[in-house]
Amino acid sequence: MARRALSQKCLTLVQCLESTVPVAIANSGMGNCRIGLSGGADSLALTAAMAWARDHRSGPLAGVDVSARVIDHGLQPGSHDVAVQAAQQAKDLGIDGEVVQVEVDPTHGGMEAAAREVRYAALAGGPPALILLAHTLDDQAETVLLGMARGSGVRSLAGMPARRDQIVRPFLTIRRADTQQACRDWGLDWWQDPANEDPSYARSRVRSAMDTLDQVLGPGLAEGLVRTADLCREDADFLDDLVDQARVDPTQPTLDVPTLIALDTPIRHRLLLRWLRHPNPDGVTRTHVLAVECLLTDWHGQKAVSIPGGHVTRENGRLIRSTTSFSGPTTARD
């Protein structure tokens, strides 16, 4: 990247990286960073900002080991050409770029979830590295709105964390319009993903609805949703800490009924959710949690409760989780 004066938008992105990524490097002990690059404006701006911080600044990211990885899901005609072009853009910016092809199986959880799962796995493959993702404030707001629409709990409304394990999202305070303007200022042409306009995807529908809601409710909707996520994250972290303090192991196939009944309801529900999701994380809902709750608080010798991948019974003062389907009409004993 040729050295020239930074525009204010570009400088903001660079400074954002310098204030977040070095902390993650220090806390993780990982000295190298890997950018998840799609070729879109957000990830392209992230790549350009990292290149500038590494090569043209004397700040904490000067000389940092950084590369870019482009995941080709193969879901659209010409996707490989798009991926190759994105990797070349990274190389033009002075950052090594590679393309990784993956196969997406949408039979479990739908296309969006399946693509996300294989993408994250592909980004994490190879030598350990911090994975930098370019999710913006707008993405965070859409995530919260999706959680609201689905009736999800506080953890889902907490949105995406700025850092979890090796994943870092340094742009969660940056608007999408700012990454696009930064690309223009850097003279970069980004790829417009047609999936972002495809109404068959829930996130695309939410993205479209955000513009309408802004007009109906007034400006500041995205920022308000992100503030909601921040508050929910604090509450969710606090509740999760209380669950940990309960000293009940959700990996065990049985749980003690008196111990569970003694817990406050929100803590008990979160613990039951962890327990039910341990053998089979997919498909467990609040409906399953409340059904199992009845085995504790409304016990009258009822039958087993079916859950994804098995069933739960109550016997001799314990809840018993089985990974086999329940087929008999027998009443459980206590």
Side-chain angles (χ1 to χ4, degrees):
M1 181 189 299
R3 184 178 177 86
R4 58 183 177 182
L6 281 179
S7 71
Q8 185 57 51
K9 295 295 185 186
C10 295
L11 179 60
T12 297
L13 300 193
V14 171
Q15 291 175 333
C16 181
L17 293 179
E18 290 178 336
S19 67
T20 58
V21 177
V23 175
I25 291 175
N27 290 341
S28 68
M30 297 180 184
N32 57 318
C33 301
R34 182 179 302 137
I35 298 169
L37 176 61
S38 69
D42 300 336
S43 61
L44 194 56
L46 173 58
T47 305
M50 279 295 292
W52 192 278
R54 181 194 66 181
D55 299 335
H56 302 310
R57 302 267 288 182
S58 59
L61 291 177
V64 69
D65 184 359
V66 59
S67 62
R69 183 171 291 178
V70 188
I71 310 303
D72 176 15
H73 300 84
L75 298 177
Q76 299 166 351
S79 65
H80 183 67
D81 293 338
V82 171
V84 170
Q85 173 62 25
Q88 184 59 53
Q89 285 181 299
K91 293 175 183 177
D92 292 342
L93 291 167
I95 290 180
D96 289 339
E98 63 172 333
V99 175
V100 176
Q101 292 182 294
V102 298
E103 293 185 7
V104 180
D105 179 5
T107 56
H108 299 290
M111 184 65 74
E112 287 178 278
R116 181 171 58 251
E117 182 177 346
V118 298
R119 178 169 63 254
Y120 278 46
L123 287 171
L130 282 180
I131 300 171
L132 307 185
L133 302 180
H135 293 116
T136 65
L137 185 149
D138 298 83
D139 295 310
Q140 184 77 300
E142 292 160 8
T143 299
V144 177
L145 198 56
L146 276 169
M148 289 181 176
R150 292 166 176 164
S152 301
V154 175
R155 176 56 70 190
S156 291
L157 297 184
M160 299 175 287
R163 183 183 168 205
R164 176 177 291 162
D165 300 325
Q166 69 188 107
I167 294 177
V168 183
R169 298 179 175 91
F171 279 179
L172 288 181
T173 59
I174 302 295
R175 296 302 303 262
R176 184 176 295 138
D178 294 334
T179 64
Q180 292 174 348
Q181 186 58 52
C183 283
R184 295 187 190 98
D185 294 345
W186 266 312
L188 300 172
D189 295 323
W190 65 88
W191 173 60
Q192 294 278 13
D193 186 354
N196 290 335
E197 309 296 329
D198 187 344
S200 65
Y201 294 110
R203 184 170 289 273
S204 299
R205 296 194 299 272
V206 167
R207 183 169 297 183
S208 176
M210 285 287 291
D211 295 334
T212 301
L213 290 173
D214 255 333
Q215 297 173 14
V216 173
L217 300 176
L221 173 62
E223 290 84 355
L225 288 170
V226 170
R227 285 194 298 273
T228 297
D230 293 339
L231 293 169
C232 287
R233 191 176 307 110
E234 291 178 0
D235 292 347
D237 290 344
F238 176 72
L239 289 171
D240 283 343
D241 286 342
L242 292 181
V243 173
D244 293 337
Q245 295 170 24
R247 299 184 181 279
V248 178
D249 186 356
T251 68
Q252 297 300 310
T254 70
L255 297 178
D256 181 64
V257 168
T259 299
L260 292 173
I261 291 177
L263 297 173
D264 291 328
T265 301
I267 307 305
R268 185 170 60 247
H269 284 176
R270 297 173 87 83
L271 182 57
L272 287 174
L273 182 63
R274 287 188 188 182
W275 185 61
L276 296 176
R277 284 180 172 174
H278 176 67
N280 186 8
D282 296 326
V284 177
T285 66
R286 179 168 174 80
T287 299
H288 297 114
V289 172
L290 294 179
V292 173
E293 167 90 346
C294 287
L295 297 179
L296 298 170
T297 60
D298 187 26
W299 173 246
H300 48 270
Q302 59 263 48
K303 301 174 185 178
V305 172
S306 294
I307 61 172
H311 67 274
V312 176
T313 56
R314 172 171 168 166
E315 292 187 41
N316 301 319
R318 299 192 71 81
L319 290 186
I320 302 172
R321 183 188 64 219
S322 173
T323 55
T324 60
S325 298
F326 177 72
S327 57
T330 58
T331 299
R333 295 177 292 103
D334 200 39

